Amino acid sequence: MSATTQEEKSPKQLAYEKFENVFKDTLVEQILGHAKKYKLPAEYLTYFEKSLRANTLGGKCNRGMSVPDSTEQLLGRELTAEEYESTAILGWLIELLQAFFLVSDDIMDSSISRRGEPCWYRQKDVGMVAINDAFMLESAIYMLLKQYFKAHPAYVDMVELFHETAWQTEIGQLCDLLTAPEGRPNLHNYSLEKYTHIVVYKTAYYSFYLPVALALHYLDIATPKNLKQAEDILIAMGEYFQVQDDFLDCFFGTKDVIGKDGTDIQDNKCSWLVNQALKIATPEQLKVLEDHYGKKDDADVAKVKELYNELDLKNKYYAYEEKVVGEIKERIAQIDENEGLKKSVFETFLNKIYKRSK
């Protein structure tokens, strides 16, 4: 690539490419090399490499890139080349965890597409082999952790953190699947309590808490006190992020705005919006929800959106946003930086999501 073209790229694009290259240039070969030790036939090794690249690359990498970003904020200086590579590897372990979740989730939800391509299980010659592919993506996390961090003083803590985070996410997924089964709407099963449980465990722990906890462990400055303080702030932030996602899905759910079509209504999702509607709807309005929510027809979706507008859910969301962001800022202000945490870590996270449109 010419220097001119490289210079035309934004700092964000350059940071993304730098992070992506750690996986492409280093980790793919490490993972495949480990598979070769067990005499995996060449044609199946090729299949595994295809799975590895297709399912791990191509996302926004916000979770993974937050590990080096958070480490830099905690240190208060630019990372050395060695520090960057180590923290980027930890970030890619989160991306492998995400890949494991997405391959599995798409099968459970009978999803059609992912990142503009058919879901992995729907691709030629894959099918239900995708279940084992998901297991292999997860196992690669622990193989790489051992390879790169076995001598690290926080190695056991990092292994346990990944196991605990996977468990938390699976608990959240179980609650989601049982609360809102695809194609079987039952609004009586919904509640804000269940919604909060789903978003906290299914999204907030691995998307928000895990990157910062890994940065603290990498620097060997994690303590029960600062981990708890980070958890309290980041889980609240993760919940806000998911509520925001639900809002954008409904009111701005077009590919050119948030990168995907909004489908929460037709997919029978236990979203923040439907729970707010259930709280304040009249019996007549509840009937509209029961008749139209979770249906695939555009006319049904339009009826639900019309009801959301009638209930003024947009303004209820804006009021919620200001309230919760104010509370998060108060928690950040209370951080004692002598304990190893830096307010800037959390301010950076919050600035990325506050009033986002995608």
Side-chain angles (χ1 to χ4, degrees):
M1 179 166 292
S2 70
T4 307
T5 310
Q6 195 73 4
E7 284 168 9
E8 287 171 355
K9 293 182 178 178
S10 69
K12 190 175 179 180
Q13 285 174 303
L14 292 170
Y16 181 89
E17 286 183 6
K18 182 182 179 183
F19 181 73
E20 189 178 54
N21 287 340
V22 171
F23 187 78
K24 288 179 173 178
D25 298 344
T26 304
L27 298 185
V28 170
E29 287 308 312
Q30 293 293 338
I31 295 167
L32 294 177
H34 201 70
K36 286 175 187 172
K37 291 180 185 177
Y38 301 100
K39 299 181 173 58
L40 186 66
E43 63 196 288
Y44 302 149
L45 195 69
T46 300
Y47 171 91
F48 177 45
E49 180 175 0
K50 185 182 174 187
S51 165
L52 195 57
R53 291 181 182 275
N55 293 308
T56 311
L57 294 165
K60 295 175 187 170
C61 294
N62 289 335
R63 296 168 182 85
M65 291 173 72
S66 292
V67 183
D69 288 351
S70 297
T71 307
E72 194 165 88
Q73 296 278 359
L74 289 165
L75 287 171
R77 61 165 172 78
E78 195 173 327
L79 300 180
T80 64
E82 184 184 344
E83 288 167 342
Y84 179 81
E85 182 172 33
S86 294
T87 54
I89 289 168
L90 288 172
W92 276 109
L93 302 188
I94 301 179
E95 295 299 324
L96 282 163
L97 186 68
Q98 160 87 336
F100 160 57
F101 290 149
L102 294 184
V103 172
S104 309
D105 196 53
D106 286 343
I107 296 169
M108 288 182 263
D109 289 348
S110 303
S111 297
I112 304 298
S113 64
R114 169 73 63 185
R115 296 170 181 165
E117 299 288 335
C119 293
W120 181 245
Y121 79 98
R122 292 175 58 85
Q123 293 195 20
K124 189 174 184 293
D125 300 326
V126 178
M128 289 303 108
V129 178
I131 296 171
N132 194 66
D133 296 336
F135 295 158
M136 292 182 75
L137 291 166
E138 185 192 27
S139 292
I141 295 167
Y142 300 101
M143 181 271 291
L144 291 172
L145 259 180
K146 182 179 178 183
Q147 185 163 334
Y148 286 99
F149 298 99
K150 190 172 183 184
H152 192 285
Y155 171 64
V156 173
D157 291 317
M158 290 193 279
V159 170
E160 290 181 350
L161 178 62
F162 270 101
H163 280 304
E164 188 68 17
T165 305
W167 173 247
Q168 288 164 324
T169 309
E170 289 150 8
I171 289 279
Q173 173 74 340
L174 178 65
C175 190
D176 191 15
L177 291 167
L178 296 179
T179 300
E182 174 85 15
R184 286 187 285 141
N186 179 7
L187 299 179
H188 299 290
N189 204 24
Y190 293 177
S191 70
L192 274 170
E193 290 73 25
K194 283 181 182 173
Y195 174 78
T196 299
H197 183 280
I198 291 166
V199 302
V200 164
Y201 290 101
K202 186 177 174 179
T203 300
Y205 272 101
Y206 92 94
S207 300
F208 285 82
Y209 175 68
L210 179 58
V212 176
L214 281 172
L216 288 167
H217 282 304
Y218 170 74
L219 294 173
D220 202 23
I221 58 172
T223 65
K225 184 176 178 180
N226 65 25
L227 286 171
K228 182 68 172 68
Q229 196 162 27
E231 181 181 11
D232 289 345
I233 295 168
L234 293 163
I235 297 309
M237 214 180 288
E239 186 178 348
Y240 159 54
F241 175 85
Q242 187 59 56
V243 172
Q244 188 181 54
D245 212 50
D246 293 353
F247 171 75
L248 292 172
D249 180 277
C250 176
F251 291 106
F252 302 95
T254 57
K255 284 182 180 172
D256 59 334
V257 176
I258 62 168
K260 64 178 182 177
D261 289 321
T263 59
D264 283 0
I265 293 170
Q266 50 268 57
D267 289 348
N268 187 40
K269 292 294 183 185
C270 178
S271 78
W272 184 83
L273 292 166
V274 74
N275 277 294
Q276 292 297 323
L278 289 168
K279 258 187 9 177
I280 59 176
T282 64
E284 292 77 16
Q285 290 168 329
L286 282 173
K287 182 75 166 60
V288 172
L289 277 176
E290 286 168 0
D291 289 347
H292 301 285
Y293 198 80
K295 307 284 176 63
K296 300 292 184 186
D297 195 277
D298 288 347
D300 290 298
V301 175
K303 283 284 186 187
V304 175
K305 287 189 178 182
E306 190 181 310
L307 177 61
Y308 285 175
N309 284 321
E310 205 177 294
L311 294 170
D312 198 25
L313 293 191
K314 259 190 188 180
N315 282 323
K316 282 186 170 50
Y317 167 76
Y318 293 133
Y320 160 84
E321 180 172 53
E322 292 312 310
K323 178 176 179 290
V324 77
V325 169
E327 290 169 353
I328 290 168
K329 285 180 176 176
E330 282 178 18
R331 291 185 185 184
I332 294 171
Q334 290 166 10
I335 287 173
D336 179 0
E337 296 198 340
N338 294 321
E339 289 289 327
L341 283 182
K342 293 284 177 66
K343 293 173 186 175
S344 59
V345 172
F346 306 96
E347 289 162 349
T348 301
F349 264 91
L350 189 57
N351 290 337
K352 285 178 185 174
I353 63 173
Y354 179 51
K355 290 195 179 296
R356 73 186 171 103
S357 59
K358 60 183 180 178

